[in-house]
Amino acid sequence: MSTSPVSSGSGGQPRRHLRRLLALALLLALALLAAYARPLLATARLGAAYGARVACSCHYVAGRPLGDCREDFEPGMGLVTLSADEAARRVTARFALVLRQSATYREGWGCQLDRWTD
């Protein structure tokens, strides 16, 4: 009685193609991220600055509760969170917990964005 060895045949082909496809998809995703990273970060920074300035004016100039100030945001700003430092009269907006910007109320000047730091 003779037994023949099991041939590897084409059983490995689908896995090899899947690995190549996944590697290609990963490279494409990294290339897109690299190409759009700067514009995305600039948009996120702008969104945080807008949120801080609008919320500061809403809270300290108009006297509304900070929670109500989100109603003044533009559509698509759901990832911007707000916090207030009542003693400093400052509102800080964070975009997705990554980028932040603050605006401070100054008597006679209103709300001004704090200096941007890179």
Side-chain angles (χ1 to χ4, degrees), residues 3 5 8-9 11-12 16 18 20 24 27 33-34 38 42-43 49 52 66 71 73 79-80 90-91 96 105 111:
T3 59
S8 60
R16 188 177 314 149
L18 183 59
R20 286 182 182 168
L24 182 62
L27 285 174
L33 181 63
R38 286 189 86 143
T43 301
L66 190 61
E71 296 174 9
F73 283 4
L79 294 177
V80 176
R90 175 179 297 125
V91 171
Y105 175 77
C111 288

Side-chain angles (χ1 to χ4, degrees), residues 12-91:
Q13 286 292 73
R15 282 190 179 156
R16 188 177 314 149
H17 289 310
L18 183 59
R19 281 189 208 137
R20 286 182 182 168
L21 187 60
L22 288 174
L24 182 62
L26 179 63
L27 285 174
L28 181 62
L30 289 174
L32 286 172
L33 181 63
Y36 291 102
R38 286 189 86 143
L40 288 174
L41 285 175
T43 301
R45 179 170 296 190
L46 184 61
Y50 174 85
R53 171 63 177 77
V54 167
C56 179
S57 294
C58 167
H59 188 57
Y60 293 110
V61 176
R64 293 169 44 203
L66 190 61
D68 289 349
C69 296
R70 293 192 59 78
E71 296 174 9
D72 297 342
F73 283 4
E74 293 294 320
M77 292 186 62
L79 294 177
V80 176
T81 59
L82 300 172
S83 62
D85 179 349
E86 299 297 336
R89 300 182 92 176
R90 175 179 297 125
V91 171

